[in-house]
Amino acid sequence: MQMEIDRPSGRPFWRSRWWMPLFSLGLGAFVFAAFAIGGRTGDGLRGFAVMAALAALLYFGGRSDTLRGLGGPGRDERWAAIDLRASAVAGFVLITVVLGAWLWEVANGDDGSPYVQVAAVAGVAYIAAVAFLRLRS
């Protein structure tokens, strides 16, 4: 069963103009809570402020094609392709950094934790995704 809210556009709730700003505020609340639990309330307030600023930018920056594409309501097939390529670039950069950090740790006589675990999870996820997508196509 698909959950949809009645809207004139018929878009699902995660494609409304409210979704990303509210998601950003919610994530900011989690950041604040994590820092507060760790006894660093001031850092939590700064983290929440950054996420609130992002929420405001996404909500009030409606004329920007880039912000509409990032925020959800302005997405189409072109934005889906941009998102796919951007995700691939971000994944490549992240895996390169994780592997570099692991090599640095090993070269300095450490065991490479937690970088080796993150690299292993990324490798298994990639292989599983290739296998799944291959079976689907």
Side-chain angles (χ1 to χ4, degrees):
M1 183 163 100
Q2 184 177 1
M3 184 176 115
E4 287 194 32
I5 298 171
D6 284 339
R7 278 188 194 73
S9 65
R11 287 187 295 211
F13 71 91
W14 61 87
R15 289 290 175 233
S16 78
R17 95 181 266 225
W18 291 96
W19 171 247
M20 280 307 286
L22 289 174
F23 181 79
S24 298
L25 288 175
L27 188 56
F30 279 115
V31 168
F32 172 76
F35 274 108
I37 290 167
R40 296 171 47 197
T41 306
D43 290 336
L45 286 172
R46 283 187 285 281
F48 180 79
V50 167
M51 296 307 292
L54 175 63
L57 180 67
L58 290 169
Y59 184 75
F60 294 112
R63 290 199 177 277
S64 167
D65 184 47
T66 302
L67 289 177
R68 279 196 317 268
L70 288 170
R75 296 180 64 107
D76 55 13
E77 295 83 16
R78 179 178 149 258
W79 273 106
I82 289 170
D83 182 56
L84 182 63
R85 290 190 305 264
S87 296
V89 169
F92 175 77
V93 169
L94 181 60
I95 288 174
T96 301
V97 168
V98 167
L99 290 175
W102 170 69
L103 289 170
W104 178 267
E105 289 282 313
V106 171
N108 285 306
D110 294 322
D111 67 354
S113 289
Y115 305 110
V116 70
Q117 290 96 344
V118 173
V121 168
V124 169
Y126 177 78
I127 291 168
V130 167
F132 175 77
L133 293 171
R134 171 62 181 102
L135 290 173
R136 252 183 91 208
S137 63

